[in-house]
């Protein structure tokens, strides 16, 4: 009987040997079986979820978190459909990324291979349990999950269904592991499992990600917060400025690619501030402005220094007038979380300068920051949006869940 | 006046803004100026090195370490030439790695960009000071160096020469920083400089690398140890087996791609063990063998379990007879450091199975493990050999010192 989090991780590592060698067709079949099994287990999953919710309510879990946690039959069906979508994506493993023949005839190939074991630490969203497991398996990896304690029974029911589907197809069920029942100790073990777990993907609050990044000796892919900026340059057309800022704030305020701060060029302030603020307010947005913004538009809340560093994730937006593009770039350098920034301008030179100088995962000219998204980029699925520079930056697709390996085929060559 | 390691790192971060935007020609010029400056400073560098060596001798530094530390005029000239070689390499920045136009017309480009600030913690080899600085600058990065205390004066003289060359060309000399004079505290600051230093490359002993990997919150590229295996399959031709094993052990025993353990298929033991051992012994190699090897060849030292896990880095080699390919793969799974392994075989199916199943940075069939090298792979320069799976695996060239950035160019598009 498996008794420790470490035992579970070693089982995942062992299973990675066979999962990593599966064919494209095998992996697709496995995911389709998992999707079917999740649907078949819907009653059990919803029942487990009801227990989690009751426990959560008793413990004073907020309405918002309860909603994230809640699964009903249609939501379970949506989870299964998402797995079927992942099954249809092209296999990221076995791509030949480089090929060269050495002067002595040794043939080299750089090919994409699975990482091996992918770990994930996340909060009480049961959909992550299924998403990460499906993405990991599609890319030939096994997975060790540590979800929030609030979703423990729901996650256990989902994991049981997925493991059952693997076993039914003759695949190693140990490919999907959870360390939820080991609580915080499970998370600690996962963060110190260097040599067993190949990469750790935290998903959740800035605080959770910060904890994992600073405590983990397993390499981490950081999917960070977005203090996202839009710069309205001197030549920004009003229609673009208004439509893009409203879209970037209002369409889905709670996500990391939503804009938080708008910087307006001094020469455009008289022309743009009042109508852009009015358009935002018409959609229910509270604008936190500096002194000039407050003078140019009605109903603006005075901004404090904290506003510039805040990822509101709500219908709030900070707005400041800057002297020029240099001033805007300075502000971004100081406050950006290096996720996404956009400039609205008709000045091509300023657009190119902005694209070159801003040090963020995605830098845009004349487009909504909401486009920073694996689905929008055409990746078919999104593992997360990386705000680090190592390995992956920006929206991550299945390819970012693979590593590489060099293969060398010779005929007895030795080094001179 | 700069007074803390952190101040130095912040200067490097600030300098990264301008260094990252330099043209290819600017970067080449800068490196040529650095090469000239190192040659011009040869007398000062050698004098500083003499002081380091005297201090080292007084402190009981071993002859081997003294040799690594020693710089004379020809060695300084070789350092300068290495910088000139790096200048000639193609610019790794600004490559377009992916391009796609979204259905709404937004044009996306994924381009290679510098990391920003590259940190390196290494031991008393002054050549690393120059190598890492040159490679970092060539790829548009600035650099923070923490070399061994034993080479402190030598490194200071080299850094002074390189910074002088930058200033003379009108470039920001703060692009090259050392935190050597802050001792261990400098190393600690470097490992905790997440958000200032973008990537840390440790170079040196397994112990140094382990310390950095476990203590650093800055993302690390691990350039690890090599317990490298060669498998002599049942069908291994004697000439290939003998030549490759001897080459892989003897040509340069102190490097990470030298073979440490040879696994011989039981069915080939009678045919191969005696001549391969004799060929190794003729080159001065001590063979540590299991019972069968000891029986089949003369002068074999009995191997202990420790031998299988040892990176000798010397004219020692461990040899074991295995039952079959499965047994060999089990042994490798248990003891490999995931650097390089090679199989010698005429059985194409076994070769392909080995290539597919061995989980190492470089996996070979019928070639010497000594080919795992950036120079041999045609990269022109080598930053190190990564034994981790994130970002870079195997020999790293200049491209591995870059990150990526997505650029999006639109005309007012918003997300539907």
């Amino acid at each position: 009987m498996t008794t420790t989090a470490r035992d579970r991780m070693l089982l995942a590592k062992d299973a990675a040997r066979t999962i990593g060698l599966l064919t494209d067709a095998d992996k697709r079949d496995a995911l389709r079986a998992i999707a079917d099994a999740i649907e078949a287990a819907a009653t059990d999953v919803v029942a487990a979820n009801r227990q989690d919710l009751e426990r959560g309510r008793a413990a004073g879990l907020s309405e918002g978190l309860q909603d994230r946690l809640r699964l009903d039959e249609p939501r379970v069906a949506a989870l299964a459909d998402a797995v079927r979508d992942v099954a249809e994506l092209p296999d990221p493993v076995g791509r030949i990324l480089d090929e060269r023949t050495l002067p002595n005839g040794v043939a080299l190939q750089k090919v994409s291979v699975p990482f091996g074991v992918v770990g994930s630490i996340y909060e009480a969203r049961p959909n992550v349990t299924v998403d990460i497991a499906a993405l990991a398996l599609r890319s030939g990896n096994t997975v060790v999950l540590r979800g929030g304690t609030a979703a423990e029974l729901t996650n256990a029911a989902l994991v049981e269904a997925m493991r059952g589907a693997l076993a039914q197809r003759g695949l190693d069920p140990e490919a999907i592991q959870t360390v939820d029942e080991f609580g915080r100790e499970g998370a600690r073990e996962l963060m110190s499992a260097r040599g067993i777990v190949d990469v750790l993907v935290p998903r959740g609050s800035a605080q959770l990600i910060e904890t994992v990044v600073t405590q983990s000796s397993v390499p981490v892919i950081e999917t960070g917060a977005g203090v996202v900026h839009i710069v309205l340059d001197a030549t920004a057309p009003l229609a673009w400025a208004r439509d893009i800022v409203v879209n970037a704030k209002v369409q889905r305020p709670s996500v990391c690619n939503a804009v938080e701060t708008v910087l307006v060029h001094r020469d455009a302030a008289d022309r743009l501030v009042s109508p852009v603020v009015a358009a935002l307010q018409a959609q229910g947005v509270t604008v936190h402005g500096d002194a000039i913004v407050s003078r140019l538009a009605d109903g603006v809340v005075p901004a404090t220094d904290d506003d510039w560093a805040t990822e509101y994730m709500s219908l709030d937006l900070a707005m400041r007038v800057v002297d020029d593009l240099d001033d805007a770039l300075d502000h971004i350098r100081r406050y950006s979380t290096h996720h996404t920034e956009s400039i609205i301008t008709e000045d091509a030179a300023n657009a190119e300068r902005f694209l070159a100088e801003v040090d963020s995962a995605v830098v845009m000219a004349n487009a909504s920051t909401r486009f920073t998204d694996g689905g929008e980029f055409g990746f078919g699925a999104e593992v997360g949006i990386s705000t680090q520079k190592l390995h992956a930056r920006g929206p991550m697709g299945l390819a970012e869940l693979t590593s590489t390996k060099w293969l060398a085929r010779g005929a007895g060559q030795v080094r001179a």
Side-chain angles (χ1 to χ4, degrees), chain A:
Chain A
M1 193 185 142
T2 302
T3 48
T4 70
R6 196 178 163 84
D7 288 339
R8 296 276 172 89
M9 293 189 277
L10 287 170
L11 289 171
K13 183 178 165 72
D14 194 54
R17 290 166 49 191
T18 49
I19 298 294
L21 297 174
L22 293 181
T23 65
D24 185 18
D26 286 341
K27 287 181 279 195
R28 284 176 197 263
D29 282 350
L31 287 192
R32 291 186 192 117
I34 283 174
D36 293 346
I38 288 171
E39 275 187 338
T43 310
D44 292 348
V45 170
V46 172
N49 186 249
R50 203 166 293 136
Q51 286 183 263
D52 279 336
L53 280 167
E54 275 164 28
R55 200 160 38 99
R57 266 192 298 270
L61 201 67
S62 75
E63 281 296 329
L65 289 179
Q66 285 185 45
D67 183 58
R68 285 187 183 184
L69 172 54
R70 183 172 293 115
L71 284 185
D72 50 21
E73 304 252 347
R75 284 193 181 180
V76 173
L79 284 183
D81 281 341
V83 174
R84 290 188 185 103
D85 288 345
V86 172
E88 296 313 310
L89 294 175
D91 193 341
V93 169
R95 289 169 298 139
I96 296 171
L97 304 170
D98 196 350
E99 244 176 330
R100 42 183 80 202
T101 302
L102 305 189
N104 60 23
V106 171
L108 288 179
Q109 277 186 330
K110 185 182 183 179
V111 298
S112 62
V113 297
F115 271 120
V117 183
V118 173
S120 189
I121 298 181
Y122 53 100
E123 284 162 348
R125 291 185 179 229
N127 63 309
V128 177
T129 304
V130 175
D131 276 356
I132 293 278
L135 293 164
L137 286 174
R138 188 68 187 93
S139 45
N141 296 290
T142 63
V143 67
V144 180
L145 301 161
R146 160 65 183 140
T149 307
E152 190 175 332
L153 297 175
T154 313
N155 287 340
L158 289 167
V159 166
E160 189 189 340
M162 294 193 287
R163 285 169 56 99
L166 291 179
Q168 187 202 357
R169 291 278 161 147
L171 301 175
D172 191 345
E174 308 297 356
I176 301 175
Q177 298 289 340
T178 169
V179 294
D180 275 1
E181 70 260 48
F182 305 106
R184 283 169 187 277
E185 184 55 28
R188 268 193 297 272
E189 288 276 354
L190 195 43
M191 290 190 282
S192 62
R194 193 173 180 100
I196 304 174
V197 175
D198 294 288
V199 62
L200 200 49
V201 185
R203 292 278 296 268
S205 69
Q207 195 194 336
L208 175 136
I209 290 167
E210 177 67 17
T211 300
V212 173
V213 157
T214 51
Q215 295 187 6
S216 177
S217 63
V218 174
V220 172
I221 299 180
E222 185 179 355
T223 55
V227 176
V228 166
H229 297 78
I230 294 179
V231 175
L232 305 182
D233 197 16
T235 60
L238 171 59
W240 289 6
R242 188 182 49 209
D243 294 353
I244 288 175
V245 169
V246 169
N247 180 259
K249 179 77 255 180
V250 172
Q251 201 217 12
R252 206 168 161 208
S254 65
V255 292
C256 59
N257 60 18
V259 66
E260 307 296 357
T261 299
V262 171
L263 302 170
V264 187
H265 192 293
R266 169 184 297 276
D267 296 347
D270 284 341
R271 183 169 61 83
L272 297 178
V273 167
S274 170
V276 171
V277 168
L280 285 164
Q281 288 169 338
Q283 301 283 330
V285 176
T286 301
V287 175
H288 304 250
D290 71 355
I292 305 177
V293 171
S294 299
R295 182 168 53 75
L296 292 173
D298 293 329
V300 171
V301 177
T304 68
D305 274 358
D306 283 351
D307 282 292
W308 315 123
T310 300
E311 185 182 23
Y312 296 114
M313 310 203 96
S314 62
L315 286 175
D316 290 84
L317 180 140
M319 189 178 290
R320 209 197 120 192
V321 172
V322 292
D323 290 341
D324 50 24
L325 186 52
D326 284 307
D327 196 12
L329 290 168
D330 280 344
H331 182 104
I332 289 170
R333 222 166 359 250
R334 181 154 174 204
Y335 293 108
S336 167
T337 55
H338 312 290
H339 187 294
T340 302
E341 334 293 338
S342 185
I343 188 170
I344 315 303
T345 186
E346 284 194 320
D347 183 323
N350 280 0
E352 292 306 314
R353 189 180 160 205
F354 190 83
L355 292 168
E357 294 192 19
V358 173
D359 182 26
S360 295
V362 186
V363 191
M364 300 179 166
N366 299 321
S368 170
T369 57
R370 290 276 296 123
F371 288 118
T372 297
D373 176 278
E376 293 290 320
F377 274 35
F379 295 168
E382 185 180 281
V383 179
I385 295 172
S386 166
T387 52
Q388 73 180 31
K389 293 183 183 175
L390 208 68
H391 184 73
R393 200 176 189 202
M396 294 187 287
L398 281 177
E400 279 71 33
L401 285 185
T402 63
S403 180
T404 59
K405 174 160 103 172
W406 285 96
L407 306 178
R409 294 179 177 90
Q413 286 90 344
V414 298
R415 184 157 166 189

